[in-house]
Amino acid sequence: MRSTSTQNSFPPPETTSNRSRLSKKESCYKGESALDYHLSFLPQKEYVIFHDLRLQSGDYFFQIDTLILTPNYILLIEVKHLFGTLTFEPEFQQLVRSTADAEDVFPDPITQVKRQASQLKTFLGKHKIPDIPLETLVVFTNSLSRITLSDSTTYTRRYVIRDTVLLNRIEQLSSQYITITLDPKLVKKVTRILNNSHTPSIIAPLQAYNLQPIELIKGVHCPKCNAIPMRRLHGKWFCSSCYYQSKVAHINSLVDYRLLLSDTITNKQACEFLKITRPLACRVLTALETAIIGVKKGRKYKLELDNLKKLVIEKGID
Ligand SMILES: [Zn+2]
C-alpha cells in the first residue's frame, strides 16, 4: 500500500513482454501520481486516503487502487492511464482501446471497481463496521485519451470521469451524503483495520519479467564485480575478472536462488545452479546447518534468508 506520493507498488503483471510490462508499470505510476496531485487538495482531516490496498476476502485477495474514507461514505477509485480512443461497451462489459496500430480489449473497469466495492462491503461487515454507503468511480488520467460510448447510456457517465473533475465529483458526493455513519472513533478503527489487513503481493521476479529458469546464467558470481562463473580452487572461489577470492561466494548465489526460484533446494538443483560437483554441493548444503525436508534423493534443504546472510558475515572473513 502506498501513502500519497511516497513509496510505490504496482499490480501484478499481465503483459507478455518486458517492454510492455515496464510501460504498464510506468502507466500505472503516471496515472496514480496524477491522481495524487488532485487528491492533495482535499482536507486531510476529513478524508483518509489509501493507495494500492490489497485485502483478503475468503481465499482470495482484492486490490483497490485508491480508497477514500470519510465519516459519511467510502469512495473506491479505479485509476486508468490509457491513451487512445477508449470505447465503453457496457452491454459486453468491455472497454475497447483503439490506437493507430492496434485495438485492445480490456475488462470493463466499472464492473471491476463495483466488484471491489462488494468485496469491501463483506470485509467491513466481518469486522463489525456499520453499513456505510460505498461509491465507485473510474478515473481516467491521460489527457491524450478520447472517451466514447457505444450507446447513450447514462450508466457509464455516472461512473466514469477524468481526473480534472475528480474534486468536483468528491464535493458532490460529500453534499449528497449528509448522514454521519462513522464517528471519529470508528474512522480511526476502520483506518487501523485497513492498515493492518493490507497484504502486499509478492511478485515472483521471473514471472514479473517473463523469464524461464533455464534463461538464468548459472554459476557462482563474484560478490565484488558480479562476473560469472567464479572458479573453485583449494576450497575458495576465484574471480578471473577482478582476482577477488572468497570462501562464501556460493552462499550469495544461494541467496539469489532463494529470491529467484524457491525457498528450498535439492542437491541436484544446487549442482545445476552453482555449476558444482555433487560431492561439493553436498558439502556446501550440509554446512548451511539448515532444516532438511525429505530423505535420500528427495532431500531438500531449507534456504532461510536471515541464516544465509548471517553465514556470509560469519564465514566471510577470508
Ligand atoms: Zn570479480
Side-chain angles (χ1 to χ4, degrees):
M1 184 180 47
R2 187 168 60 95
S3 62
T4 303
S5 73
T6 48
Q7 65 203 112
N8 292 295
S9 65
F10 301 102
E14 288 155 13
T15 46
T16 46
S17 74
N18 289 349
R19 187 179 288 271
S20 60
R21 157 112 177 93
L22 287 170
S23 78
K24 185 166 192 285
K25 255 189 177 184
E26 203 181 330
S27 167
C28 289
Y29 174 68
K30 278 186 184 155
E32 290 178 4
S33 53
L35 201 76
D36 283 349
Y37 169 75
H38 296 291
L39 295 178
S40 67
F41 292 100
L42 288 175
Q44 283 186 2
K45 272 191 179 168
E46 294 156 52
Y47 300 88
V48 189
I49 302 168
F50 300 85
H51 291 288
D52 300 326
L53 259 184
R54 189 166 172 269
L55 304 169
Q56 192 160 14
S57 159
D59 290 340
Y60 299 96
F61 286 92
F62 63 104
Q63 192 151 348
I64 301 166
D65 282 351
T66 299
L67 182 152
I68 302 177
L69 168 67
T70 80
N72 308 20
Y73 67 97
I74 292 176
L75 172 61
L76 291 90
I77 299 176
E78 175 76 14
V79 188
K80 293 284 174 221
H81 193 70
L82 300 169
F83 65 94
T85 300
L86 310 166
T87 308
F88 275 89
E89 297 181 345
E91 61 274 44
F92 302 115
Q93 301 190 327
Q94 63 193 22
L95 172 65
V96 181
R97 190 256 303 267
S98 312
T99 55
D101 42 35
E103 195 161 84
D104 307 298
V105 180
F106 298 89
D108 176 20
I110 304 176
T111 314
Q112 278 182 304
V113 72
K114 283 191 162 295
R115 193 183 309 126
Q116 291 156 16
S118 89
Q119 286 166 314
L120 182 69
K121 190 179 161 68
T122 313
F123 175 89
L124 294 174
K126 275 189 187 149
H127 286 90
K128 309 261 185 301
I129 302 300
D131 252 344
I132 179 163
L134 299 178
E135 276 290 334
T136 51
L137 277 181
V138 175
V139 179
F140 283 89
T141 51
N142 195 329
S143 58
L144 297 176
S145 63
R146 175 168 173 252
I147 305 165
T148 62
L149 297 172
S150 64
D151 62 11
S152 60
T153 173
T154 51
Y155 176 80
T156 309
R157 291 177 206 279
R158 182 184 177 317
Y159 296 108
V160 178
I161 58 163
R162 284 199 185 273
D163 59 332
T164 43
V165 297
L166 176 61
L167 284 186
N168 290 345
R169 186 57 76 88
I170 292 175
E171 275 166 20
Q172 255 178 36
L173 290 170
S174 297
S175 56
Q176 181 187 335
Y177 292 107
I178 48 169
T179 314
I180 293 178
T181 310
L182 307 174
D183 61 22
K185 229 175 133 183
L186 274 170
V187 169
K188 270 193 183 162
K189 185 180 172 186
V190 176
T191 304
R192 199 180 56 241
I193 291 171
L194 292 177
N195 277 327
N196 291 345
S197 309
H198 169 66
T199 317
S201 76
I202 299 156
I203 302 171
L206 292 191
Q207 192 191 339
Y209 289 97
N210 197 29
L211 290 168
Q212 298 298 320
I214 197 161
E215 292 174 88
L216 293 172
I217 302 167
K218 310 292 194 307
V220 171
H221 70 269
C222 169
K224 205 169 180 194
C225 76
N226 286 324
I228 196 164
M230 294 183 96
R231 285 188 309 131
R232 179 87 179 170
L233 215 61
H234 311 301
K236 277 188 183 180
W237 297 100
F238 284 86
C239 174
S240 40
S241 288
C242 74
Y243 307 109
Y244 182 72
Q245 303 180 13
S246 167
K247 281 183 188 166
V248 293
H250 62 281
I251 303 181
N252 289 315
S253 293
L254 288 173
V255 170
D256 289 353
Y257 186 93
R258 162 69 180 73
L259 294 172
L260 292 169
L261 296 165
S262 169
D263 60 354
T264 59
I265 192 167
T266 63
N267 196 301
K268 188 164 176 268
Q269 287 163 335
C271 289
E272 286 162 9
F273 192 76
L274 303 175
K275 282 191 161 174
I276 55 177
T277 61
R278 274 183 165 272
L280 179 57
C282 188
R283 271 211 309 283
V284 300
L285 291 177
T286 311
L288 296 178
E289 293 177 358
T290 184
I292 295 168
I293 307 151
V295 287
K296 293 188 180 167
K297 280 193 176 176
R299 170 186 282 237
K300 287 179 185 170
Y301 297 80
K302 187 95 181 141
L303 297 176
E304 313 254 21
L305 280 180
D306 288 348
N307 183 37
L308 294 173
K309 286 176 185 168
K310 205 174 89 201
L311 285 172
V312 171
I313 295 166
E314 282 176 8
K315 301 194 177 181
I317 309 138
D318 296 312

